[in-house]
Amino acid sequence: MTVPVLLVREDREYLVEPGEEFGTDLGVLEVPEDVEPGATLETHLGTAFRVRRLRGPDLFHHFERTGAPMVPRDIGLVIGETGVSVGDRVLDAGTGTGVLAALLARAGARVVTYERDSEFAEVARENMVLGGVDERVDVRAGDVTADLESLREESFDVMTLDTGDAPDVVTAAPDLLVDGGFLAVYSPFVESTREVVAAAREAGLSSVRTRETIQREMDFDERGSRPSTAPVGHTGYLTIARNE
């Protein structure tokens, strides 16, 4: 598969492959096979589109979805809190669409990610190809708890969990993580978050802390500036712990 690019015009954005003929209501676009980001292409009706390289945050919008993926701001918290970087090995569970796994790989890590639904796992594999990280992400269909014994033979720098059985996996974290390795667990509900925290403490992990992931956008107009009155951007709860 060739690396796709984005065609952008105002609020329109299309993901296309080089060499593709692409039709819109604004005309037909012939996308050259050697197209480069930064170029401008015109439809046969003379409408111009800018060519943009596909970047990490774009994956959230263009991956095929099998559920609600983790939003970019929450992924940013995971990367910032765990320090995922080049050469790290990450164990991820609850692949879903695969946005988190892909962005961890784009940060330089090698990721082993588990998805219970085999059809969802296949979609995630295709998304990894689209994101250009298929060689860095091993998508496995199955329940991570069934492989905990064999996974203990490996070692991971970071564990990221977005799954209902996260407390069971957290219990095994000391045997799966390297010394100083980080655990990051995303939970949609307070009740499951409480179970994760209890499991992390019982397992002997340190620096266990949970934050609600929430942000407010700002409004700027002629009257002044203030936080938006739109619904507050709550997404879930992120628990971080360390193996030391």
Side-chain angles (χ1 to χ4, degrees):
M1 177 179 179
T2 55
V3 178
V5 294
L6 290 173
L7 299 181
V8 181
R9 176 180 172 82
E10 297 175 349
D11 61 345
R12 298 193 184 203
E13 190 173 282
Y14 303 104
L15 185 67
V16 300
E17 291 190 23
E20 180 180 355
E21 180 180 278
F22 185 72
T24 76
D25 59 323
L26 300 175
V28 177
L29 271 167
E30 296 282 351
V31 184
E33 291 190 4
D34 59 351
V35 66
E36 293 287 342
T40 298
L41 301 180
E42 290 190 359
T43 70
H44 78 290
L45 298 177
T47 304
F49 283 81
R50 290 183 297 108
V51 179
R52 194 169 70 197
R53 181 166 64 91
L54 186 69
R55 298 187 64 85
D58 299 318
L59 305 183
F60 177 80
H61 301 289
H62 292 285
F63 270 5
E64 182 178 346
R65 295 195 178 185
T66 53
M70 190 179 293
V71 299
R73 73 164 184 262
D74 292 348
I75 294 174
L77 287 173
V78 171
I79 292 175
E81 291 280 3
T82 64
V84 169
S85 62
V86 176
D88 281 350
R89 282 179 48 78
V90 179
L91 175 61
D92 175 60
T95 314
T97 299
V99 177
L100 173 60
L103 291 185
L104 292 172
R106 280 181 166 239
R110 290 195 171 275
V111 184
V112 175
T113 181
Y114 279 78
E115 170 55 53
R116 287 180 175 178
D117 189 303
S118 60
E119 293 184 2
F120 288 5
E122 185 56 36
V123 171
R125 293 187 188 102
E126 294 172 358
N127 284 338
M128 296 307 110
V129 174
L130 174 63
V133 294
D134 52 302
E135 294 185 357
R136 304 188 67 83
V137 180
D138 177 8
V139 180
R140 301 180 182 179
D143 190 336
V144 67
T145 59
D147 286 353
L148 290 180
E149 285 300 323
S150 60
L151 288 170
R152 284 185 171 93
E153 298 175 4
E154 307 179 51
S155 59
F156 298 91
D157 300 282
V158 176
M159 289 172 54
T160 54
L161 309 176
D162 182 7
T163 178
D165 56 6
D168 295 331
V169 187
V170 168
T171 300
D175 296 326
L176 298 170
L177 287 169
V178 300
D179 184 41
F182 280 94
L183 168 75
V185 183
Y186 180 83
S187 307
F189 303 110
V190 171
E191 291 83 358
S192 54
T193 303
R194 187 180 183 89
E195 292 179 8
V196 165
V197 169
R201 289 173 174 167
E202 185 175 347
L205 299 179
S206 66
S207 304
V208 182
R209 59 197 185 281
T210 299
R211 294 190 179 93
E212 180 181 13
T213 58
I214 186 170
Q215 287 185 349
R216 293 191 298 174
E217 292 192 7
M218 298 292 293
D219 285 339
F220 300 100
D221 57 34
E222 66 280 357
R223 296 174 301 167
S225 308
R226 66 180 182 182
S228 172
T229 55
V232 175
H234 161 88
T235 48
Y237 305 91
L238 181 64
T239 299
I240 303 292
R242 196 166 195 182
N243 185 38
E244 58 183 6

